[in-house]
Amino acid sequence: MSSVREVTLTSAPPKSSQCGVTHNIPALVFNARGYNGNFYHEINDIFIPLFITINSLFHDQDVILVIVDGMTWWYQKYVDLLNAFSPNHKIINTNNLTTAHCFPSAVVGLIKHGPVTINPKLLPNPKTLLDFSTFLKNAYIKEDTPLLFPSNNSKPLLTLVDRKGSSSRVILNQEEVVKLAKEVGFNVHVLDHSKDSTMANVYRLVHSSHVLLGVHGAGLTNLFFLRQGSVVVQVVPIGLEWASDTCYKNPSPFLGLEYVEYKVEANESSLSWDYGVDSLMVKDPKAYTEGKWEKSIVYLKNQNVKIDLVRFKKWLMKAYEKAKMFMNSTSQVAS
């Protein structure tokens, strides 16, 4: 919250001389900082609540987005999505204001239903996570936008989220995992956000994929870009069961996705090498953390994984079977 600026609301008479610009439609004011910069939090903390708020309070009604503390790179990253939320009006960036803007009314802040959650019962016109996913598709895929399909259409495309360069939750034997996935029968693309630079390009790639694979982390938020019937494979490190369930397992069925979970065992976690297989931290994370966040951080920030390839092959085979079923049930034309 230290990066979130407070907003002060004031009222003025109509046609007030204080107004440099007078608008005739309401404003929706929200902050774009907090944990912005993390893809999961950008979707969970900003865009899902923005979708909920507009569909709750401005259904079939124009609204002007007034964004506080938005950073230049963030506007550039999400230009297509922001324009989809506000197709008829220019977004107001308060960082660049040189005059006062006046509105007939304003809503400050966004409505949230919970982590990665849209509760249709709380909306006047029921919407779900699947509706949000469709909204994303309409923002990033146009009628003439080509999708990226594997060159060999008999093989399902598996996209692996690359965490190399991250401080934690890196697959230390990633090249071997890629080789194994190819042996199972997948075409494999390693998703590197630094190379697959624009959100539109990332969307096209993931939307073309049949399987999205990754260790628990922000990159798995790309599951919102998958087609219904696609497969999500989440590698769950030690001590991250709750976060893995909340962020990615629980939303998957609401998005029409098949979910496969691979739970890391002690000998696959770097924590066992650093602290010992028999340490309380490794054997019983619940007892070790005692429900305290400061003791849970070690599982997020100080843990990498070396996947047991023999054991992991069973889960890859399961994902492959589901992916082939998905391929057989649909044509290779983007849905």
Side-chain angles (χ1 to χ4, degrees), residues 92-293:
I92 296 177
N93 175 1
T94 62
N95 295 345
N96 300 331
L97 287 185
T98 57
T99 187
H101 287 248
C102 297
F103 302 86
S105 63
V107 170
V108 179
L110 302 175
I111 300 169
K112 192 173 182 180
H113 291 167
V116 203
T117 300
I118 298 178
N119 185 343
K121 295 180 180 179
L122 299 179
L123 288 157
N125 296 283
K127 300 288 183 182
T128 66
L129 283 177
L130 191 56
D131 292 304
F132 176 70
S133 177
T134 301
F135 182 84
L136 294 175
K137 178 183 176 183
N138 292 335
Y140 288 116
I141 299 290
K142 310 305 178 187
E143 289 185 7
D144 58 347
T145 302
L147 294 180
L148 304 175
F149 289 106
S151 56
N152 183 347
N153 288 335
S154 66
K155 293 184 178 182
L157 175 61
L158 180 148
T159 294
L160 171 64
V161 178
D162 188 2
R163 290 187 61 87
K164 283 186 177 179
S166 301
S167 59
S168 67
R169 285 165 283 141
V170 175
I171 300 176
L172 299 176
N173 57 338
Q174 180 169 292
E175 290 78 10
E176 295 176 33
V177 170
V178 169
K179 182 180 178 182
L180 177 63
K182 290 178 178 179
E183 290 174 358
V184 167
F186 287 106
N187 279 328
V188 179
H189 179 87
V190 178
L191 177 59
D192 182 346
H193 277 273
S194 65
K195 294 178 181 178
D196 300 295
S197 53
T198 69
M199 290 303 298
N201 284 346
V202 172
Y203 189 98
R204 288 173 61 215
L205 168 66
V206 177
H207 194 66
S208 302
S209 304
H210 303 95
V211 178
L212 180 67
L213 163 65
V215 180
H216 172 77
L220 280 180
T221 309
N222 285 293
L223 60 80
F224 278 102
F225 298 168
L226 291 168
R227 293 168 288 169
Q228 291 186 66
S230 301
V231 185
V232 178
V233 181
Q234 179 173 208
V235 176
V236 181
I238 290 173
L240 295 180
E241 290 80 5
W242 179 87
S244 298
D245 288 354
T246 301
C247 298
Y248 305 116
K249 179 181 179 179
N250 295 347
S252 290
F254 292 102
L255 295 169
L257 303 176
E258 295 289 330
Y259 179 80
V260 175
E261 182 172 279
Y262 179 80
K263 288 190 176 181
V264 167
E265 294 186 342
N267 63 334
E268 298 171 280
S269 170
S270 63
L271 293 178
S272 67
W273 317 331
D274 296 336
Y275 298 94
V277 176
D278 294 325
S279 66
L280 185 63
M281 177 191 296
V282 173
K283 291 180 65 176
D284 193 342
K286 286 186 178 180
Y288 172 78
T289 60
E290 301 175 319
K292 298 176 181 177
W293 169 248

Side-chain angles (χ1 to χ4, degrees), residues 80-97:
D80 295 325
L81 186 51
L82 289 167
N83 287 337
F85 278 111
S86 183
N88 301 318
H89 302 282
K90 186 176 180 180
I91 294 168
I92 296 177
N93 175 1
T94 62
N95 295 345
N96 300 331
L97 287 185

